[in-house]
Amino acid sequence: MNENILELKNLFDASIAKVLDASALDEIRVSYLGKNGSVTGLLKNMGALSPDERKTYGKDVNDLKNYISGAIDEKLIYLNEQALKKELEAMPEFDVSAPVDTDRGSYHPITLVQRQCENVFRTMGFTIEDYSEIVTDYECFEALNIPKFHPARDMQDTYYLENGQLLKSHTSAAQNAIYKKYKKALVEEGKPIRAIFPGRCFRNENTDACHENTFFQMEGVMVDKNISISNLIFFMKTMLSAVFEKDINVRLRPGFFPFVEPGFELDISCLICGGEGCPSCKHSGWLELCPCGMIHPNVLREGGIDPEEYTGFAFGLGLTRLAMMKYGVKDIRDLNGGSLANLAQFTEDK
Ligand code: PHE
C-alpha cells in the first residue's frame, strides 16, 4: 500500500483511539472525510501516477475511506453506549419496597363538575349517553334545522376533515341519534326520553380568558307528552343549586338557536366577581351558562318523533364555564393547559 495512505491510516487509528465524546468524533470525521479532509487530499496526488498505479492507488484510497467511516460509526455506537451506562450508574437504585408516593394528583375541575351534574340528573331518571367527537354535517347541523348556508353556521365554525366530517361544535350533534334510539320506547311503552350527553366540543375560536377552541358541554333533552318551559326551568334550577350547593341567581333571556322554539339563554350571576363585572364575564356581571329551549318541531320530526303528539326541552350546559364558576378559574385557557400545578390548586378532590 502507498506510504501516504498507510501513514494516514495509522494517524487515524491513533487519533480515534483517544476520542472520548461524540463531538470530538465528529471533528475527526470532518478532518478526514470532509471536503477539505485528508482522505480527499490523497486524491490530489493521483495525477503524478501511471495509469496502473492509479488503479490500485484509487482503490486503496477508497478502502481507507470506507474503513474510516466504518470505524467512526462503530465508535459512535460505543460512545453512546458508554454515555448511557454512565447515566444509568448515576441513577439511584430502584427500591420496590419504598412507600407509594401519596401525592397522586387531582381530578380535573371539568371531570368533577361533570360527575356532579351526572349524579344530579341520574337521580332524576336521566340516562347518560356517550357520543363521538367526529360527526357528520347532518348530525351537527342539518338534523338540527340548520340547513347549508344558514347564517347560524357562522357562530359554529369548526374543524373539518377531508372526508366532509367535522369535529362537533356542540353536543346537540347527538340529539338526532338519541331521539332515534329512544323513540320506540317513547311511543310504544310511553317512556319519556330523558338523556344527558356530556362531550368535548370544538370551534374555530380566537382564544382569550373566556373563549377556547376546545371546551366541554353537557346537553340534556327531555321529550314526552305535555312537556313545557316550566319543566325546563325546574330541571335547570334543581341542577344548578345542587352543583353550587347554594341558591344561584339566574336570568332567562330570549336566545336564538334554529333547533329550539322558543329559545332562551339562561345566565347565572358571575360567581368570580359577584356580579360586579370582570374579564371572565365580559364585564357584564352575568355568565351565559346554559342556552336552552323547547325542541323545534322540525328537529323532533327529523328524529322520528311526531311533534303534534310530543314536545320536549333541550339545554346545552357549558361544563367548562360551570367548572370555572365553581372553582374560580379566571382564565379558561388554564383548563386545557395541562399544568398540574395550575389545575391542582382548584380542587383537593382525589
Ligand atoms: N348547542 C347550542 C350551542 O352550543 C346550545 C343549545 C343547546 C341551545 C340546546 C339550545 C338547546 O350553542
Side-chain angles (χ1 to χ4, degrees), residues 223-231 294 308-312:
V223 182
D224 200 0
K225 289 185 173 151
N226 302 319
I227 296 289
S228 70
I229 296 170
S230 49
N231 296 114
M294 300 305 292
E308 302 291 327
E309 209 173 330
Y310 297 96
T311 51

Side-chain angles (χ1 to χ4, degrees), residues 156 169-172 175 203 215 217 219-220 257 259-260 264 291-293 314-317:
Q156 304 217 0
S169 56
H170 54 177
T171 40
S172 308
Q175 278 194 25
R203 284 189 202 175
F215 53 94
Q217 290 186 335
E219 189 97 352
F257 302 92
F259 37 95
V260 285
F264 307 102
C292 50
F315 61 85
L317 184 68

Side-chain angles (χ1 to χ4, degrees), residues 114-168:
Q114 179 179 327
R115 287 185 185 172
Q116 271 181 326
C117 294
E118 286 176 2
N119 287 339
V120 177
F121 279 106
R122 200 182 280 120
T123 62
M124 299 193 287
F126 281 68
T127 60
I128 296 156
E129 312 283 332
D130 198 11
Y131 208 67
S132 41
E133 289 175 353
I134 298 176
V135 296
T136 59
D137 187 273
Y138 173 79
E139 291 165 295
C140 202
F141 299 120
E142 299 262 338
L144 292 168
N145 205 26
I146 312 177
K148 287 205 166 56
F149 310 112
H150 192 289
R153 288 195 181 208
D154 287 354
M155 287 187 306
Q156 304 217 0
D157 186 17
T158 180
Y159 303 94
Y160 285 79
L161 308 186
E162 275 167 11
N163 65 4
Q165 289 183 311
L166 48 109
L167 299 188
K168 73 170 176 237

Side-chain angles (χ1 to χ4, degrees), residues 1-15:
M1 189 186 286
N2 177 292
E3 228 172 75
N4 293 343
I5 301 182
L6 202 59
E7 200 182 310
L8 195 62
K9 179 175 179 298
N10 291 338
L11 205 65
F12 169 76
D13 284 341
S15 53

